[in-house]
Amino acid sequence: GENVEQHPSTLSVQEGDSAVIKCTYSDSASNYFPWYKQELGKGPQLIIDIRSNVGEKKDQRIAVTLNKTAKHFSLHITETQPEDSAVYFCAASSYGQNFVFGPGTRLSVLP
Amino acid sequence: KAGVTQTPRYLIKTRGQQVTLSCSPISGHRSVSWYQQTPGQGLQFLFEYFSETQRNKGNFPGRFSGRQFSNSRSEMNVSTLELGDSALYLCASSDGQYNEQFFGPGTRLTVL
């Protein structure tokens, strides 16, 4: 079955700097890759996603890149703000089913 | 559009009891998935229901079961609770057609 690895497990950046979180997946059948942000006491919130027919997608300060050959995808957050502090999860899915999540990255943005 | 709702938000049970959790998906969504989230194991997939049928199932014992009603609301049941079942149980809804999955706030279950 699918296995998703995520690095780093914790990340601290200064406000205004960029943050990058990387994930790798094992199943070449996976074709949908969402990223979620989870704040304390809340459920995960979808922040951006990418499908396998696209190499990069951007939404304001957030971007995701996908390398299908290497089976890895990354989340890029630019101009980080304190409110970006949270746990971020990547996931891999085949046609919107059988989601497998990475273990999460705790991002701290220091003012 | 209202988001995914889960009830109750918090539950305390003792070992051996059973529990039922409820999830109401986003209006128009026909797929509901359930996940268990723990600090040690992360987010683990329990099962998915689509149009009242279980479409996918994770690797959890038979004590964990679910169902979906004709209005797409879903319930999850855990019987003979164990201490290790203490977790945040999340449900997520989607239209089931290869599109985004949205999570509810979760039910925090504590087993004493």
Side-chain angles (χ1 to χ4, degrees):
Chain A
E2 175 65 276
N3 182 53
V4 177
E5 296 185 355
Q6 183 173 346
H7 298 281
S9 57
T10 60
L11 179 60
S12 293
V13 299
Q14 289 295 134
E15 182 177 356
D17 287 350
S18 295
V20 180
I21 303 170
K22 299 181 179 182
C23 286
T24 60
Y25 61 99
S26 60
D27 190 350
S28 56
S30 292
N31 56 10
Y32 175 61
F33 308 93
W35 284 89
Y36 289 87
K37 173 184 180 183
Q38 188 173 25
E39 296 173 310
L40 200 60
K42 298 183 178 180
Q45 175 194 2
L46 178 68
I47 56 172
I48 196 166
D49 57 12
I50 192 166
R51 301 184 194 277
S52 59
N53 59 346
V54 176
E56 183 174 358
K57 183 176 178 180
K58 189 174 181 180
D59 183 4
Q60 299 183 342
R61 297 186 297 110
I62 296 174
V64 57
T65 58
L66 170 66
N67 183 326
K68 284 190 298 182
T69 304
K71 294 197 187 73
H72 67 70
F73 56 112
S74 300
L75 176 71
H76 304 252
I77 306 174
T78 59
E79 300 172 21
T80 53
Q81 302 166 4
E83 52 265 38
D84 293 330
S85 296
V87 179
Y88 290 81
F89 294 95
C90 63
S93 163
S94 178
Y95 294 100
Q97 300 182 42
N98 298 319
F99 284 82
V100 176
F101 285 79
T105 295
R106 183 172 300 278
L107 173 64
S108 299
V109 180
L110 309 174
Chain B
K1 225 181 214 184
V4 180
T5 58
Q6 291 187 246
T7 57
R9 292 293 312 278
Y10 302 93
L11 265 179
I12 299 175
K13 293 286 188 178
T14 55
R15 279 180 299 175
Q17 287 187 310
Q18 76 164 18
V19 67
T20 299
L21 313 181
S22 180
C23 172
S24 292
I26 292 170
S27 177
H29 282 188
R30 293 190 293 163
S31 168
V32 174
S33 296
W34 288 90
Y35 295 85
Q36 181 194 67
Q37 186 175 33
T38 59
Q41 299 297 319
L43 265 163
Q44 292 190 289
F45 172 71
L46 281 152
F47 31 67
E48 181 211 2
Y49 285 85
F50 178 76
S51 293
E52 301 180 65
T53 301
Q54 188 179 86
R55 184 160 72 170
N56 292 293
K57 188 177 188 303
N59 296 322
F60 277 80
R63 299 186 297 107
F64 292 82
S65 63
R67 60 178 176 168
Q68 187 179 33
F69 302 95
S70 58
N71 61 358
S72 293
R73 189 177 71 86
S74 177
E75 287 183 348
M76 186 193 113
N77 185 76
V78 187
S79 61
T80 320
L81 284 166
E82 300 176 359
L83 295 178
D85 297 333
S86 294
L88 180 67
Y89 289 88
L90 293 158
C91 89
S93 85
S94 77
D95 65 6
Q97 303 297 328
Y98 186 23
N99 279 317
E100 301 90 341
Q101 182 173 241
F102 299 92
F103 282 87
T107 293
R108 171 76 60 187
L109 172 65
T110 301
V111 182
L112 303 175

